[in-house]
Amino acid sequence: RILVAIDGTAAGRDALELAVAGGEDYELLAALPAAAVEPARRALAATETPLTPIGTVEAAADRAPGAEIRRPEGATMTATGFDQLRRPGT
């Protein structure tokens, strides 16, 4: 779960859309076993780098592996924005 604390109305955009695909704000994303979260948080605290859990990874028996962005009401969002790995023309 990503908590959105921005107002997209100033940019004429939906706040969740803006948070997911709207700019030059970068964060690192890591997938850790639950038991590793607190030790990682303590290690990062020494560098004044916060670690914030934002969700869980779960297997879906009825789908291929992948990631989804979902709105609070459950609707799936289409990922947009710049993809540095996309080849030109694709």
Side-chain angles (χ1 to χ4, degrees), residues 3-90:
L3 301 177
V4 178
I6 59 173
D7 181 5
T9 57
R13 307 222 0 230
D14 173 76
L16 183 57
E17 179 186 326
L18 192 59
V20 170
E24 298 293 328
D25 299 324
Y26 295 97
E27 294 282 338
L28 295 178
L29 180 66
L32 302 173
V37 172
E38 282 309 313
R41 191 186 309 248
R42 286 191 301 272
L44 289 168
T47 66
E48 298 182 12
T49 303
L51 177 64
T52 306
I54 62 167
T56 59
V57 176
E58 300 175 356
D62 62 338
R63 288 178 242 180
E68 293 179 334
I69 302 167
R70 292 195 172 262
R71 293 190 169 280
E73 71 278 358
T76 303
M77 289 182 65
T78 301
T80 60
F82 180 73
D83 180 354
Q84 72 275 17
L85 301 176
R86 189 179 71 207
R87 293 186 179 149
T90 61

